[in-house]
Amino acid sequence: MNIDNPKYFFNREWSWLNFNKRVLFEASEEQNPLLERLKFLAIVSSNLEEFFMVRVAALKKQKAAGSKGSSIDKKTPEEQLAGIRIEVNKMLKEQYSLFYKTIVPKLKEHHVELLLDMKSLQSYKNTLSYFFDSNIQAVLTPISVGPTHPFPKLVSGQLYIAVELKPNKDSNDKIEKSRLSFIQVPINIHGRFIRLEEQETYIPIENIIKLFVDRLYNGYDIISASIIRITRDADFSINSDAASDLLTAIESNIKRLHQRSVVKLEMESDISPTVLKTLTAKMELNDDNIYPLKGILNLKDLFEIFGKVNKPDLKDAPIKHIYPYDFNGKDIFKLIRENDRILYHPYYSYDPIIELVKKAAEDERVLAIKVTLYRTSSNSAVIKALIKAAENGKYVTILDELKARFDEKRNIQSAKRLEDAGAHVIYGIAEMKTHCKALMIVRREKGGIRRYVHLATGNYNETTARLYTDLSFFTSDEYIGEDVSTLFNLLTGFSLPTKWNYLTAAPLDLRNKFMSLITRETENARNGCKARIVAKINSLLDKNLILALYEASNTGVKIDLIVRGICALRPGLKGVSENITVRSIIGKFLEHARIYYFYNSGNEEYYLSSADWMTRNLDKRVELLFPIRGKNEQTFIKKILDTQFEDNTNTWRLQSNGVYEMIEGKRKKNSFAIIEAYIKKLESSKKAADEKAGKVFKPVKSVDKK
Amino acid sequence: MKAKKSNLIAVIDIGAHSIRLYIGHILRKGIFKQVENLWVPIPIGLDTFNTGNVSNHTIRDLIKIIKNFKQTIDEYQINTVKAIATSSIREAGNSDVLIERIANTTGIQVEIIEPITEIEVLYNNIKKVMKDRYGFLKDSVLIFSLGGGGTQIVLQDMGEVVFTETYNQGTLRLLKSFDLPAKLFEYILKPLAASFTETVSHFSDITEIIRFVVVNDDVLNLIKITHREKDVQGIYRLTTKKFRAMYDEVIKMGPEKMTAKFGLNENVSGTTWVAFLMIGLFFNLTGAKEVLFPDLSMSSALLNQLSFGDEQIIRSKKSMRENIISAAIHLGKKYCFDRQHAELVAQLSASIFDQIQEIYGFGNQEKLYLEIAALLHDIGAYIAAGSHHKHSYLLISSCEIMGLSKREIKIIALIARYHRKAIPKPSHPEYMSLKQADRITVARLSAILRIADGIDASHLQLVKNVKIELDAEICHITVTMTKGKHEYFDVVKYTVAKKSDLFENFFGLKVEMEIMI
């Protein structure tokens, strides 16, 4: 049987849309607190936006170029775009219906009111009028279209009011007449939603502007005013072979973003046909790119409501990030020297990592700190500590990946600040994204040079570390240290790789490593031995790896996968993948840790990685795979995996027909809660043991509270 | 931050196709741990071997790399830095400019080292790694050090150096200097092989070479990255079968496929490929059953030497002295010397030297020069008895002995030259081309050699001991004759008197001789 057949693969875009549907499902889950459900609506929109900016944009370009595309299931770009349109429309319909018919009314029951239509504003007209005059009008700049005013370059993602005008009798004959004008909706000052004083009542700012739009156009009658929003292609690749030019290249790319082609136009469904005609003509759009919406645009901004509404009972209880007991009041270097450590965020606090960098910045024996930054948070404590270190005369080397999508601007700002402090900043490797997450501290100690290493599945970003599940691994192992040093020498261009001890790096040999790990299980199964593969990843898309997994399945290797997002592998097909199961966990936190497990004839191997099983991770990015060899650490990871496989609250199981079915059980098992409780217990038992042994107990401290 | 005393040492090795930074943490003398090992390919040799100069473009790249290395060195706060360069820069017409530019922009002073120093440093480390394993100290061993621009071999027997030889042929030079199809390389290499076989044939004690030790960065690297073999205490041992398999695979693949398959740098795959050819060729010339690859490079070897605390490239003196003497004896054998005479003259010279060393402030190294010159003073007779001192000069100055630099070889050759006939004169250009200090060395050591040679002028080893006593005006020499007829007394007295001219001239002492029985 030939397993290399398009029908044995799921389409990438289709699979992604399916993932977003599962996110949307969370918004419909009644057991989720109401504001959390609202947040899931926002996530759905945010995800969709990125999807259009990158995936749809790329498909459109393929289509325009007449390419057949490279889809794993051999679908043409046309077919895929048509499919996407159908699915997206369905999804939007469901999202809006959920929002308007369920969430908004339920919020009202809890005295949180969203006034979303124009009619509902009438009773507040006086208040709003005052607010408009005193707070909004001054920042509005209508951009009119006329013979000497060309059609403006609208900014991607921004809300605009398209105003259809007709000069009236007051109009001044001497000035140029416009028929169409745009007002960019200002959301930077007051936010998207204006809260009425003393109440939990919110009004979208664009509706307030619409209400008084006539005040902006003297001499004109307003024929219509509709909200529109465009999304532009953001799928740019940097063509530069000298890394030093990257900064400039990316900066100019950001500057040119507003000139890129439009991939989507959203507007209120009651938009005037004249205006729509002008818009589609000017932006070279056809019906496929147009999404009329019955309701307010850009539900992504609902994040703001989530943040502004002060009703803790409508939100998940905030997680108490546990500070690992061992780290309390101990010299962190000594701690890592004694034992490797592993932390699972966000259950565990991210503070130890920040403390490590802070400590290194001040420690006089520390010679150098090296770190890869991919997406850092805007006011990053890690960057602050790195700046401090550079000022203290440490050699600070930062590999700042400017090409991290949608974060380019922020990346450049932080890079410049670091450079000013005297750090050695490298802007990535040309043609390649540096996606691995590694931190190395070089310290001169009595016995010589010792390297303290932190390797992770998540970025050095305190904000996402509160929301994403990621694993952090601390070690002072000499050989891993050597490998990480090799990695940095490679990234800085100081050296070509020599020999790796334990780490495997993409794009060098990570693909081969995964292949050989899978093949080893296949061989074992073929020889009649027990064989098993477990992987917990974000996406599974690489065809060669999928084929290797199919082959493994066919020889009897038991393969259990937890793939949060895109999965092109079709599980449970007889003769292809009957020994493979695929689950997806969507819930309270974004599942982000990548864990790989291989039975290896009983000599079990656990790996963590920054890489998914996607072609781009293996061939186009710098990624790391590192083994976890300590028994305690392995047990910890095993516990996480076991708990997730038992989950029947947040888990979907992918069927061979492509349908994701919710796993249900009589006794509810929520892996998020179980892991949280497990870690809590683990830490308190450590504390109890110490107390019993009469050791001094020091109060828990955290970076934030200091 | 205040710089503390560092026990870290950095070595920069500028090779023919790559440049390497090796940082070691010295635990104690001769024992160190690798802290960093950086390398960047840069085909300097390509410029030098093709055009005779290193191009401006390459110099700029080179400086950029060294700047990066310097940053790493500063990062570790290292004070002890040694930078060396070999053939690719040694042979470049613009080497002075290049070294000056590197020094100006990076503060790193690059030192050019001679091939014989290269092999000396490597050899010392090979010995350390090999210890007495794999028959290293008892069998005949061919040590084959293959670089980008040059090849050095050491033939060792019973733990003693038989000879060393440098071929002006390396992997990169070979790869680039012939514009011929790759399949012909094997034939291009034939003369090299023939020359080696020819050299070996002069050493009659060497019947079969049964051990083969190879030093080559490229092949070592390939063994490491492909995990073909695990090292056993610093040695990768490839059996004939394994080596053949790897050889066949690599040769068949060719450089281009190697780049893809092993993820090698392009330049490196080319030289690795040639390295296999050359190693294969020499392996065939031996009767060895395995190829031994010690896990060392020029930089780690140099670092090891530096760990002894001296910033100069020092020699582990005792064993090196033995090596030099054994190499000299093998050289003597090659030219069919009268070994008993040579050894006696060496012994008498050494004895005289020892007795006047303190008074005249001789250095230890000078004694070695004297002994070697004494051992080899007559080898010119191999060419013709007439003017054999001049032939000796030629033979010695064109040979190489591991542990001795070109300058030192020249000094020794001149000492041998002045063992008879004319004494040093301003009209002798070879002598005058030396620095003054070296001229003094030659003069006073040949003065001693002449007397020692005079004592055994009969080549019959009649005399055993020599005793020297100096007073204000006279040097009293007392020798003890152990055999031979009384008539020889006069002969010895006569020859010594005749050959004391230089001694008297140089030291200003009249030589008077007494013979005891």
Side-chain angles (χ1 to χ4, degrees):
Chain A
M1 188 164 180
N2 181 16
I3 49 172
D4 186 2
N5 185 329
K7 71 179 184 202
Y8 297 150
F9 300 98
F10 291 127
N11 180 269
R12 171 186 187 154
E13 323 304 340
W14 176 89
S15 181
W16 185 86
L17 287 162
N18 243 305
F19 156 70
N20 214 26
K21 272 197 237 167
R22 296 197 291 283
V23 178
L24 184 54
F25 177 84
E26 291 294 315
S28 73
E29 274 273 88
E30 288 187 9
Q31 66 215 36
N32 286 339
L34 202 51
L35 283 169
E36 298 293 336
R37 293 170 67 182
L38 181 85
K39 194 165 87 179
F40 278 111
L41 290 176
I43 296 173
V44 167
S45 288
S46 166
N47 287 349
L48 262 180
E49 185 71 1
E50 287 191 10
F51 180 69
F52 271 89
M53 286 164 90
V54 180
R55 298 305 307 167
V56 175
L59 285 169
K60 278 183 190 296
K61 279 182 281 193
Q62 283 178 15
K63 182 182 163 185
S67 148
K68 284 213 173 80
S70 52
S71 153
I72 192 165
D73 60 339
K74 299 273 185 269
K75 291 263 190 306
T76 64
E78 286 84 352
E79 286 170 315
Q80 296 183 71
L81 284 167
I84 287 168
R85 182 161 175 84
I86 294 167
E87 289 297 324
V88 168
N89 271 327
K90 271 201 259 177
M91 194 181 296
L92 288 171
K93 207 174 155 196
E94 202 184 326
Q95 186 195 20
Y96 274 78
S97 144
L98 201 55
F99 178 51
Y100 276 91
K101 291 190 183 140
T102 312
I103 308 288
V104 172
K106 277 195 188 280
L107 278 170
K108 199 172 173 185
E109 285 171 23
H110 288 91
H111 312 291
V112 177
E113 205 170 347
L114 305 184
L115 301 177
L116 301 174
D117 56 19
M118 298 302 291
K119 270 182 284 172
S120 61
L121 301 187
Q122 290 306 324
S123 48
Y124 301 97
K125 203 161 177 182
N126 286 341
T127 322
L128 294 175
S129 168
Y130 174 76
F131 185 80
F132 177 82
D133 288 341
S134 54
N135 287 308
I136 303 181
Q137 187 168 10
V139 297
L140 297 178
T141 316
I143 317 159
S144 297
V145 183
T148 62
H149 291 83
F151 194 84
K153 292 276 179 210
L154 303 182
V155 177
S156 183
Q158 295 292 323
L159 293 175
Y160 287 90
I161 307 177
V163 191
E164 195 181 358
L165 301 166
K166 189 181 157 200
N168 61 19
K169 56 183 182 349
D170 300 335
S171 148
N172 184 344
D173 285 341
K174 291 193 179 119
I175 62 160
E176 193 181 302
K177 301 287 184 301
S178 291
R179 298 268 167 195
L180 179 62
S181 180
F182 294 96
I183 304 163
Q184 184 174 346
V185 177
I187 58 166
N188 292 334
I189 303 162
H190 304 288
R192 169 81 187 274
F193 296 97
I194 305 299
R195 183 178 166 192
L196 289 183
E197 272 174 52
E198 316 279 314
Q199 301 171 58
E200 292 281 19
T201 300
Y202 298 88
I203 301 167
I205 190 168
E206 69 271 23
N207 286 357
I208 301 175
I209 302 170
K210 241 165 100 174
L211 197 60
F212 306 109
V213 72
D214 55 327
R215 297 184 189 173
L216 299 168
Y217 297 98
N218 285 326
Y220 288 99
D221 289 334
I222 309 293
I223 308 295
S224 74
S226 329
I227 316 298
I228 62 159
R229 180 171 172 274
I230 59 159
T231 303
R232 290 184 193 270
D233 173 3
D235 170 53
F236 57 79
S237 51
I238 309 292
N239 292 318
S240 123
D241 46 18
S244 56
D245 294 335
L246 269 180
L247 191 65
T248 333
I250 292 178
E251 271 179 325
S252 64
N253 257 305
I254 293 172
K255 283 182 192 141
R256 277 200 305 270
L257 265 183
H258 64 277
Q259 298 169 355
R260 301 182 66 92
S261 68
V262 176
V263 291
K264 184 175 69 168
L265 168 66
E266 292 168 10
M267 71 273 170
E268 291 179 297
S269 54
D270 56 0
I271 193 168
S272 133
T274 330
V275 174
L276 183 59
K277 213 175 140 191
T278 314
L279 288 176
T280 50
K282 291 289 181 192
M283 296 179 190
E284 300 171 358
L285 296 170
N286 56 35
D287 288 352
D288 292 345
N289 311 95
I290 296 169
Y291 289 86
L293 296 169
K294 283 188 180 135
I296 62 165
L297 272 51
N298 199 16
L299 298 189
K300 183 183 169 183
D301 290 340
L302 293 177
F303 278 125
E304 200 182 302
I305 303 283
F306 180 88
K308 279 181 175 171
V309 173
N310 183 23
K311 298 245 178 208
D313 53 319
L314 298 184
K315 297 180 187 177
D316 278 331
I319 180 169
K320 218 177 146 230
H321 308 281
I322 299 167
Y323 190 88
Y325 176 75
D326 293 351
F327 285 64
N328 266 309
K330 242 195 175 171
D331 172 8
I332 195 160
F333 294 118
K334 186 163 177 257
L335 190 85
I336 300 170
R337 255 193 332 265
E338 283 167 1
N339 259 316
D340 289 351
R341 304 279 157 165
I342 198 161
L343 299 179
Y344 194 38
H345 310 293
Y347 306 100
Y348 273 116
S349 155
Y350 200 68
D351 293 347
I353 290 112
I354 296 163
E355 279 165 16
L356 176 63
V357 184
K358 278 191 176 173
K359 188 83 192 300
E362 302 291 345
D363 187 297
E364 71 160 27
R365 279 182 290 176
V366 168
L367 300 175
I369 306 176
K370 305 188 182 193
V371 65
T372 59
L373 296 180
Y374 190 69
R375 294 178 200 264
T376 37
S377 39
S378 25
N379 203 13
S380 162
V382 174
I383 291 190
K384 275 188 210 154
L386 289 170
I387 290 174
K388 185 80 197 153
E391 287 168 355
N392 286 349
K394 313 285 181 207
Y395 274 80
V396 177
T397 302
I398 291 138
L399 196 106
D400 196 340
E401 186 44 78
L402 295 172
K403 286 163 289 187
R405 212 158 245 160
F406 312 117
D407 279 349
E408 292 91 347
K409 216 168 177 176
R410 187 188 301 156
N411 286 336
I412 289 174
Q413 285 164 358
S414 62
K416 285 182 174 165
R417 274 167 53 211
L418 282 160
E419 262 187 345
D420 289 345
H424 180 208
V425 185
I426 293 127
Y427 301 109
I429 298 179
E431 319 274 327
M432 192 83 51
K433 270 188 203 174
T434 308
H435 192 243
C436 57
K437 296 102 182 44
L439 165 71
M440 180 176 76
I441 293 161
V442 183
R443 197 161 181 256
R444 198 217 307 276
E445 297 182 357
K446 266 192 194 143
I449 295 291
R450 193 189 294 272
R451 299 184 176 99
Y452 293 86
V453 167
H454 171 257
L455 297 172
T457 63
N459 299 311
Y460 291 100
N461 182 324
E462 305 103 85
T463 313
T464 54
R466 292 168 195 278
L467 306 167
Y468 293 9
T469 69
D470 272 309
L471 282 155
S472 265
F473 177 61
F474 299 85
T475 186
S476 64
D477 181 283
E478 188 184 332
Y479 295 105
I480 291 183
E482 234 172 52
D483 282 351
V484 175
S485 190
T486 301
L487 173 83
F488 279 105
N489 287 332
L490 188 68
L491 290 173
T492 52
F494 280 21
S495 175
L496 263 65
T498 40
K499 179 180 118 186
W500 300 92
N501 300 307
Y502 290 117
L503 267 49
T504 314
L508 301 173
D509 48 5
L510 185 55
R511 173 181 289 283
N512 291 340
K513 173 79 177 178
F514 277 134
M515 277 300 205
S516 76
L517 288 169
I518 296 171
T519 319
R520 192 175 61 191
E521 295 300 315
T522 308
E523 290 303 321
N524 289 344
R526 208 167 260 150
N527 296 330
C529 302
K530 180 181 163 184
R532 185 166 146 81
I533 298 172
V534 175
K536 171 184 151 42
I537 48 184
N538 299 344
S539 311
L540 171 52
L541 196 59
D542 185 75
K543 190 173 165 184
N544 291 327
L545 286 177
I546 294 176
L547 289 174
L549 291 170
Y550 284 165
E551 202 193 332
S553 163
N554 279 337
T555 57
V557 183
K558 291 268 173 249
I559 301 168
D560 295 299
L561 308 173
I562 301 176
V563 186
R564 185 196 75 216
I566 303 167
C567 177
L569 179 146
R570 195 187 274 270
L573 275 186
K574 206 162 164 39
V576 178
S577 56
E578 52 195 293
N579 287 316
I580 307 179
T581 67
V582 177
R583 286 172 168 77
S584 169
I585 297 179
I586 308 279
K588 193 166 163 183
F589 305 124
L590 184 81
E591 289 297 320
H592 195 256
R594 283 91 166 186
I595 305 172
Y596 298 94
Y597 163 89
F598 301 88
Y599 181 70
N600 186 28
S601 309
N603 192 7
E604 297 166 287
E605 289 183 355
Y606 287 84
Y607 294 91
L608 301 180
S609 182
S610 56
D612 282 314
W613 274 346
M614 284 174 93
T615 311
R616 70 170 186 209
N617 295 116
L618 304 175
D619 299 341
K620 301 236 166 89
R621 286 183 170 185
V622 181
E623 305 270 10
L624 273 189
L625 176 77
F626 53 100
I628 299 296
R629 294 173 300 145
K631 267 283 158 268
N632 288 342
E633 288 74 39
Q634 289 192 349
T635 310
F636 183 76
I637 295 172
K638 184 173 188 307
K639 176 72 187 172
I640 294 170
L641 290 173
D642 289 349
T643 309
Q644 294 206 328
F645 278 108
E646 283 175 8
D647 179 285
N648 58 16
T649 317
N650 311 285
T651 304
W652 302 75
R653 184 148 168 183
L654 177 58
Q655 310 298 308
S656 52
N657 61 4
V659 173
Y660 280 86
E661 271 180 14
M662 194 92 197
I663 290 185
E664 300 195 48
K666 273 189 196 144
R667 259 188 66 224
K668 284 281 165 212
K669 286 185 179 170
N670 181 347
S671 56
F672 292 93
I674 296 170
I675 293 172
E676 190 177 346
Y678 167 72
I679 289 174
K680 216 180 238 170
K681 210 177 128 201
L682 200 69
E683 291 304 314
S684 54
S685 67
K686 279 186 201 161
K687 182 178 149 190
D690 261 13
E691 278 171 340
K692 206 174 162 191
K695 288 187 191 163
V696 188
F697 170 64
K698 289 178 183 168
V700 174
K701 51 176 185 173
S702 105
V703 167
D704 296 338
K705 287 169 201 152
K706 258 189 249 172
Chain B
M1 230 189 328
K2 224 179 91 187
K4 290 178 194 152
K5 199 185 170 298
S6 168
N7 43 6
L8 296 173
I9 295 183
V11 169
I12 294 175
D13 172 18
I14 304 174
H17 68 53
S18 60
I19 162 165
R20 199 173 275 276
L21 168 66
Y22 197 99
I23 297 178
H25 173 230
I26 309 302
L27 300 169
R28 53 176 191 273
K29 284 178 184 176
I31 309 282
F32 61 90
K33 211 166 91 182
Q34 174 187 316
V35 173
E36 290 282 0
N37 184 5
L38 313 189
W39 77 282
V40 181
I42 173 168
I44 307 165
L46 223 66
D47 289 4
T48 306
F49 306 148
N50 282 342
T51 67
N53 277 321
V54 181
S55 74
N56 210 10
H57 180 261
T58 307
I59 296 177
R60 274 201 295 268
D61 285 350
L62 188 62
I63 286 173
K64 209 172 103 195
I65 298 166
I66 296 178
K67 269 188 184 164
N68 286 345
F69 283 3
K70 181 69 170 44
Q71 192 185 320
T72 307
I73 290 167
D74 290 346
E75 203 170 294
Y76 286 102
Q77 303 173 359
I78 299 170
N79 307 319
T80 312
V81 182
K82 181 91 186 171
I84 54 151
T86 47
S87 60
S88 57
I89 292 192
R90 186 170 58 230
E91 292 174 24
N94 57 346
S95 63
D96 289 345
V97 178
L98 191 157
I99 287 171
E100 183 57 25
R101 275 177 69 184
I102 294 174
N104 277 339
T105 46
T106 67
I108 300 236
Q109 191 64 49
V110 177
E111 184 185 326
I112 290 180
I113 63 170
E114 296 293 324
I116 195 68
T117 314
E118 266 181 88
I119 187 64
E120 183 188 332
V121 170
L122 283 174
Y123 178 72
N124 279 338
N125 277 270
I126 293 169
K127 280 212 301 200
K128 212 184 112 202
V129 177
M130 296 293 296
K131 302 196 181 79
D132 55 355
R133 293 185 286 165
Y134 308 109
F136 187 72
L137 294 181
K138 56 182 222 287
D139 301 333
S140 349
V141 186
L142 173 62
I143 297 166
F144 187 65
S145 165
L146 182 54
T151 304
Q152 289 117 21
I153 56 171
V154 178
L155 191 66
Q156 181 184 276
D157 189 40
M158 300 289 289
E160 281 185 355
V161 173
V162 176
F163 73 92
T164 60
E165 192 139 285
T166 299
Y167 301 111
N168 200 20
Q169 190 59 279
T171 51
L172 187 68
R173 202 193 293 268
L174 193 72
L175 189 65
K176 294 300 162 191
S177 52
F178 291 100
D179 209 6
L180 291 172
K183 63 177 179 192
L184 296 179
F185 275 59
E186 210 182 318
Y187 301 96
I188 293 165
L189 285 169
K190 280 282 189 276
L192 199 63
S195 146
F196 171 75
T197 318
E198 164 73 12
T199 310
V200 176
S201 70
H202 291 296
F203 298 90
S204 49
D205 353 352
I206 307 298
T207 46
E208 196 183 24
I209 299 163
I210 56 172
R211 303 289 171 181
F212 189 43
V213 177
V214 176
V215 179
N216 175 263
D217 281 355
D218 293 333
V219 175
L220 184 66
N221 178 48
L222 193 69
I223 294 170
K224 283 186 189 177
I225 62 170
T226 55
H227 302 281
R228 285 297 159 96
E229 194 60 57
K230 280 227 164 80
D231 71 304
V232 179
Q233 291 176 30
I235 296 174
Y236 292 87
R237 174 178 164 269
L238 266 66
T239 57
T240 306
K241 202 178 150 200
K242 274 192 181 162
F243 177 76
R244 278 289 148 214
M246 204 168 172
Y247 178 93
D248 291 343
E249 184 187 348
V250 163
I251 297 304
K252 206 174 141 200
M253 217 182 269
E256 267 173 44
K257 279 192 190 150
M258 286 167 72
T259 306
K261 171 100 195 275
F262 302 124
L264 295 177
N265 174 276
E266 271 173 55
N267 290 314
V268 174
S269 357
T271 50
T272 309
W273 185 80
V274 178
F276 266 98
L277 264 185
M278 291 180 74
I279 295 167
L281 181 74
F282 276 81
F283 187 36
N284 282 346
L285 300 177
T286 72
K289 299 275 184 290
E290 67 208 352
V291 187
L292 302 167
F293 292 91
D295 185 5
L296 52 85
S297 60
M298 188 59 202
S299 27
S300 64
L302 193 54
L303 197 118
N304 181 47
Q305 299 234 335
L306 290 171
S307 73
F308 287 92
D310 194 340
E311 288 194 28
Q312 294 304 309
I313 300 170
I314 57 151
R315 305 180 177 114
S316 86
K317 290 205 175 84
K318 190 169 159 284
S319 66
M320 213 54 224
R321 190 187 146 81
E322 284 160 13
N323 281 338
I324 293 168
I325 290 180
S326 104
I329 290 172
H330 282 286
L331 196 67
K333 283 188 199 165
K334 182 175 168 184
Y335 296 113
C336 308
F337 72 156
D338 177 348
R339 183 166 176 174
Q340 286 170 324
H341 170 68
E343 285 183 344
L344 180 62
V345 173
Q347 184 206 317
L348 293 171
S349 301
S351 176
I352 298 172
F353 181 94
D354 287 343
Q355 295 177 65
I356 63 170
Q357 173 175 25
E358 219 165 293
I359 299 162
Y360 292 105
F362 288 128
N364 276 330
Q365 196 68 2
E366 284 178 279
K367 182 174 173 188
L368 181 66
Y369 302 160
L370 178 59
E371 286 182 272
I372 304 300
L375 284 170
L376 301 175
H377 71 281
D378 274 344
I379 60 171
Y382 184 74
I383 296 176
S387 288
H388 75 259
H389 57 292
K390 289 185 184 167
H391 303 316
S392 292
Y393 167 77
L394 282 175
L395 290 178
I396 297 171
S397 59
S398 59
C399 82
E400 59 179 30
I401 293 173
M402 185 168 56
L404 297 173
S405 69
K406 279 245 174 289
R407 175 188 138 260
E408 291 174 313
I409 288 284
K410 195 168 175 199
I411 291 172
I412 292 166
L414 280 166
I415 299 169
R417 184 214 188 283
Y418 293 121
H419 86 271
R420 67 192 277 259
K421 302 269 176 180
I423 62 168
K425 286 182 192 149
S427 60
H428 293 166
E430 296 86 1
Y431 176 71
M432 290 312 288
S433 71
L434 291 180
K435 287 186 188 148
Q436 193 192 16
D438 291 344
R439 287 205 299 268
I440 292 170
T441 304
V442 169
R444 59 189 192 173
L445 294 180
S446 39
I448 296 172
L449 176 59
R450 282 166 97 99
I451 294 177
D453 186 39
I455 295 172
D456 193 41
S458 64
H459 286 227
L460 291 171
Q461 292 81 47
L462 305 173
V463 173
K464 215 159 120 198
N465 297 321
V466 58
K467 206 173 144 224
I468 307 285
E469 275 167 313
L470 302 179
D471 62 30
E473 286 170 14
I474 297 168
C475 167
H476 301 277
I477 300 178
T478 314
V479 297
T480 313
M481 263 181 80
T482 52
K483 57 179 181 181
K485 290 185 183 159
H486 206 256
E487 285 74 17
Y488 283 114
F489 272 48
D490 289 337
V491 178
V492 172
K493 269 194 173 161
Y494 169 75
T495 49
V496 171
K498 202 177 135 209
K499 298 187 82 167
S500 303
D501 49 350
L502 184 56
F503 194 93
E504 288 176 357
N505 187 320
F506 193 89
F507 294 101
L509 295 175
K510 178 137 185 56
V511 174
E512 282 187 2
M513 187 163 184
E514 202 177 320
I515 298 177
M516 319 252 297
I517 306 173

